[in-house]
Amino acid sequence: MGVKERKLRQKEEVRCQILDAAWQIVKEEGWQSLSMRKIADRIEYTSPIIYGHFENKEALLQEFTRKGFVKLCEMIRAAYQAHIDNAPARLEAMWMAYWNFAFANRESYQLMYGVEMGCCTIKNGIPESEECAEMINSTIQEIIASGKHPDADPCLKYFTCWSVVHGLISINITRNPEALHQSDDDSPNLNELILKDAIAGIVSQMLN
Amino acid sequence: MGVKERKLRQKEEVRCQILDAAWQIVKEEGWQSLSMRKIADRIEYTSPIIYGHFENKEALLQEFTRKGFVKLCEMIRAAYQAHIDNAPARLEAMWMAYWNFAFANRESYQLMYGVEMGCCTIKNGIPESEECAEMINSTIQEIIASGKHPDADPCLKYFTCWSVVHGLISINITRNPEALHQSDDDSPNLNELILKDAIAGIVSQMLN
DNA sequence: TTAAATTACTTAACACCGTTAGGCAAAATT
DNA sequence: AATTTTGCCTAACGGTGTTAAGTAATTTAA
């Protein structure tokens, strides 16, 4: 009598179809033109059924935001663990991971930080988001502790780092899709150089 | 037979009413909830008459963007002229002007750089916008020329500065209205310190 | 002064949007 | 086999930007 299980499975499958269709539309036309009716069209249902799976459109978007932070968190965690013995290098690696995530997942980043989402908020209910902030903040604290300004505010340094990186990403992500960010050849692109320079500057301000 | 003149004057007055009503709504409810019908309600007309003054909603918003850049340009120009003899100080003053504009004209800034406007684009059809970029870029070139890295790219330095400032503003403008940006007492707030630090860092990278 | 032409404005509609209520038919349970 | 539950759709509400058609007032011309 696995009828309940089957129905649950079917419902879960429709949920996936909704997310897949939504993601497809976003990739093709952008977040701006994503609508419940368009999603329903693609999965050959009518729009009200979506409300059986997501409370409203915002909740649906929130699901993508959540997924984005999970992925971002993975990448930052990898960078964290790869430089566990060197705090300045770790900080740079984590922000580079952030940078790479933004360009490998443009649409996600735009939803996570761009349009209306409260940007750079430490508390936003998504645990992975807080874990990202925690890893970066602890590294900053480590750098500050080993430097000549132990009274520096790590939170403000975090904001400063974030503003450089996010600002640079903002420049590149909305406008020229491939103008400045061309990693075609082996040489790192100019933006990455700027980024590393800026972070190195902040680190040096913490140390000296 | 000044009937034509009178009609022109009347039409111009309605145009002003439209802009005033729109601005009032924005200040009360934000850009998100500004609609043509709401504007029409306030000026006691119906929505189609707005299209006699503005081609569409985007054109109306564009008018506010333009006005914003005019004001921003004034402030940056004043800073430019106040430090005509000292390029590093001039650069800092111009970015501080930018910073102050953003917080004195939150709604304008949000429209100019925030929501969907292509951020930091050098060419966007608004002459004042280009003048701002020109003043900053020429100052950066002056600094670079007097430094030890004459081959540095001024455009990229401009982007770096802009990303720091815009990033910091983004943090503060969307979230806590008065949390970090409290200039109540005489002491400059912490964000301004960060800002000056960051710009000083970039300048020092150009010089040394 | 009266008829024609222009202008100013409104009403109604189109095509969207997010969201909800009600109904119908198929499926599952009793 | 009758009843309950479920899944899904149709229709609608109130909102959006925008356009076309029509009406009433004003200005111009005869």
Side-chain angles (χ1 to χ4, degrees):
Chain A
M1 207 185 267
V3 59
K4 256 190 183 134
E5 284 79 352
R6 193 204 66 214
K7 289 211 167 179
L8 260 175
R9 229 181 316 120
Q10 285 176 339
K11 181 155 187 172
E12 180 63 24
E13 222 233 299
V14 171
R15 203 187 118 100
C16 284
Q17 285 180 0
I18 291 171
L19 290 171
D20 287 351
W23 188 242
Q24 205 178 327
I25 292 167
V26 167
K27 276 197 295 186
E28 290 171 9
E29 311 173 37
W31 290 109
Q32 213 67 339
S33 74
L34 175 69
S35 82
M36 303 299 252
R37 284 176 164 90
K38 275 187 195 170
I39 297 171
D41 269 5
R42 294 235 180 179
I43 61 174
E44 292 173 306
Y45 280 104
T46 50
S47 41
I49 64 112
I50 302 176
Y51 294 87
H53 301 83
F54 299 94
E55 198 181 347
N56 49 31
K57 192 182 181 182
E58 199 194 330
L60 207 167
L61 296 184
Q62 178 71 11
E63 177 62 22
F64 284 107
T65 303
R66 205 191 54 76
K67 281 187 172 182
F69 274 112
V70 169
K71 199 166 187 176
L72 171 62
C73 191
E74 278 174 23
M75 291 174 71
I76 291 184
R77 202 184 299 123
Y80 184 94
Q81 288 161 352
H83 297 81
I84 201 72
D85 55 340
N86 184 342
R90 194 193 316 150
L91 189 67
E92 186 191 286
M94 286 193 291
W95 283 116
M96 287 308 297
Y98 185 100
W99 169 268
N100 288 325
F101 169 84
F103 285 96
N105 307 84
R106 250 168 236 255
E107 295 85 5
S108 289
Y109 188 85
Q110 233 153 343
L111 184 63
M112 289 157 71
Y113 294 105
V115 189
E116 53 179 336
M117 196 64 191
C119 53
C120 184
T121 156
I122 293 180
K123 288 201 181 304
N124 62 2
I126 297 170
E128 280 81 5
S129 167
E130 294 172 27
E131 186 182 336
C132 289
E134 227 301 288
M135 285 189 287
I136 292 172
N137 270 321
S138 69
T139 303
I140 287 175
Q141 280 167 18
E142 196 176 324
I143 296 174
I144 289 175
S146 72
K148 297 174 184 169
H149 304 285
D151 56 339
D153 186 345
C155 185
L156 292 180
K157 294 296 179 186
Y158 169 67
F159 281 166
T160 307
C161 280
W162 186 86
S163 72
V164 181
V165 182
H166 177 66
L168 262 176
I169 290 170
S170 297
I171 297 172
N172 290 278
I173 212 165
T174 58
R175 219 123 275 276
N176 346 339
E178 311 298 339
L180 289 174
H181 183 77
Q182 56 237 9
S183 304
D184 308 337
D185 43 14
D186 326 87
S187 68
N189 74 52
L190 293 172
N191 272 320
E192 290 187 16
L193 290 180
I194 297 180
L195 189 54
K196 287 184 182 176
D197 245 29
I199 292 172
I202 294 168
V203 168
S204 107
Q205 277 181 343
M206 288 191 275
L207 289 176
N208 310 310
Chain B
M1 208 186 262
V3 58
K4 258 189 182 137
E5 285 79 353
R6 193 204 67 213
K7 288 211 168 178
L8 259 174
R9 228 179 318 120
Q10 285 176 338
K11 182 155 186 173
E12 179 63 24
E13 223 235 296
V14 172
R15 203 189 118 101
C16 283
Q17 285 180 1
I18 292 171
L19 289 170
D20 287 352
W23 187 242
Q24 205 178 328
I25 293 167
V26 166
K27 276 197 296 185
E28 290 171 10
E29 311 172 38
W31 290 111
Q32 215 67 338
S33 75
L34 175 69
S35 83
M36 303 299 252
R37 283 175 167 91
K38 276 188 195 170
I39 297 171
D41 268 6
R42 295 234 180 181
I43 60 175
E44 291 174 305
Y45 281 103
T46 50
S47 41
I49 64 113
I50 302 176
Y51 293 87
H53 300 83
F54 299 92
E55 198 181 348
N56 49 32
K57 191 181 182 183
E58 198 193 333
L60 207 168
L61 296 184
Q62 177 70 9
E63 177 61 22
F64 284 106
T65 304
R66 204 191 54 76
K67 281 186 170 182
F69 273 112
V70 169
K71 199 167 187 177
L72 172 62
C73 192
E74 277 174 24
M75 293 175 70
I76 290 184
R77 203 185 299 123
Y80 184 93
Q81 288 161 351
H83 296 81
I84 201 71
D85 55 339
N86 184 342
R90 194 192 316 151
L91 189 67
E92 187 191 286
M94 287 193 290
W95 283 117
M96 286 308 298
Y98 185 100
W99 168 267
N100 287 325
F101 169 84
F103 284 95
N105 307 84
R106 250 167 237 256
E107 295 85 3
S108 290
Y109 188 84
Q110 234 153 343
L111 184 63
M112 290 157 72
Y113 294 105
V115 188
E116 52 182 336
M117 196 65 190
C119 54
C120 186
T121 155
I122 291 178
K123 287 200 181 303
N124 62 1
I126 296 170
E128 281 81 6
S129 167
E130 294 173 27
E131 187 183 336
C132 289
E134 226 302 287
M135 286 190 286
I136 293 173
N137 270 322
S138 68
T139 303
I140 288 175
Q141 281 167 18
E142 196 176 322
I143 296 174
I144 289 175
S146 72
K148 298 175 185 169
H149 305 284
D151 56 339
D153 185 344
C155 186
L156 293 180
K157 293 296 179 186
Y158 170 67
F159 281 165
T160 308
C161 280
W162 187 87
S163 73
V164 180
V165 182
H166 177 67
L168 261 176
I169 291 171
S170 297
I171 296 172
N172 290 278
I173 213 166
T174 57
R175 218 124 274 275
N176 345 341
E178 311 297 338
L180 289 176
H181 182 77
Q182 56 236 10
S183 305
D184 309 337
D185 44 14
D186 325 87
S187 67
N189 74 52
L190 294 171
N191 273 320
E192 290 187 16
L193 291 179
I194 297 180
L195 190 53
K196 288 184 182 178
D197 246 28
I199 292 173
I202 294 168
V203 169
S204 107
Q205 277 180 343
M206 289 191 275
L207 290 176
N208 310 311

